[in-house]
């Protein structure tokens, strides 16, 4: 996984802090600025503060994922195709005990984790509980593999099947 130097991290963090608080209509990305286009598109989907940005490889395509904290306290993961600047997925992050998530989850977290680790051995470093735009629930496991690469494995909480796999290239912001 690519690690940014401390100086680069501070510059990028300052950039995102300003963008996260800026009115998205004031963001005017250039034609070559895929990150700027994606930031603007993500904040158009959900107003709030970007607290984390990841760049990942998903089906051999570059994807930015923004974790946005809305003013109302809700948390969103918004994914944007790095090439086109178009939003490709929006998920709401919830707590494991959220009533809607619990009602949809037919597969236990332990079973979903076992499925993810069987396909991609390593150590789970983060677990997220998500409500998909289509109304489904999923578990998302960040797994640190033996080669120190981080992979995200999303498991459908109803069927227990892996529905998405991506490799994290870099991350800026809080875990």
């Amino acid at each position: 996984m690519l690690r940014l130097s401390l100086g680069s991290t501070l510059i990028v963090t300052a950039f995102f802090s300003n963008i996260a608080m800026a009115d998205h209509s004031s963001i005017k990305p250039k034609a070559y600025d895929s990150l700027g286009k994606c930031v603007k598109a993500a904040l158009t989907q959900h107003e709030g503060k970007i607290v984390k940005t990841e760049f990942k490889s998903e089906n051999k395509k570059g994807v930015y994922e923004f974790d946005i904290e809305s003013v109302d306290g809700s948390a969103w993961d918004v994914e944007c195709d790095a090439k086109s600047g178009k939003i490709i997925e929006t998920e709401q992050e919830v707590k494991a005990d959220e009533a809607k998530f619990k009602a949809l989850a037919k597969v236990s977290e332990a079973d979903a984790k076992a499925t993810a680790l069987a396909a991609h051995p390593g150590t789970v470093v983060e677990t997220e509980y998500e409500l998909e735009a289509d109304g489904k629930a999923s578990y998302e496991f960040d797994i640190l593999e033996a080669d120190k690469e981080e992979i995200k494995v999303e498991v459908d909480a109803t069927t227990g099947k892996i529905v998405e796999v991506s490799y994290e290239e870099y991350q800026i912001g809080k875990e």
Side-chain angles (χ1 to χ4, degrees), residues 4 7 18 37 41 43 46 51 55 62-63 72 88 106 108 126 128 130 133 144 146 148 156 164-165:
L4 297 175
N18 290 334
K37 287 179 188 175
L43 291 173
H46 291 284
V51 295
F55 184 77
V63 174
D72 67 3
I88 54 176
K106 305 299 180 213
S108 71
E126 182 181 18
E128 292 181 359
E130 300 173 332
L144 188 61
K148 302 298 182 203
D156 186 297
E164 189 175 287
V165 175

Side-chain angles (χ1 to χ4, degrees), residues 47-66:
E47 293 274 346
K49 181 178 179 184
I50 296 174
V51 295
K52 179 171 69 172
T53 300
E54 295 174 346
F55 184 77
K56 57 189 185 173
S57 175
E58 193 172 296
N59 297 323
K60 298 183 181 181
K61 291 182 181 180
V63 174
Y64 290 107
E65 180 178 311
F66 303 99

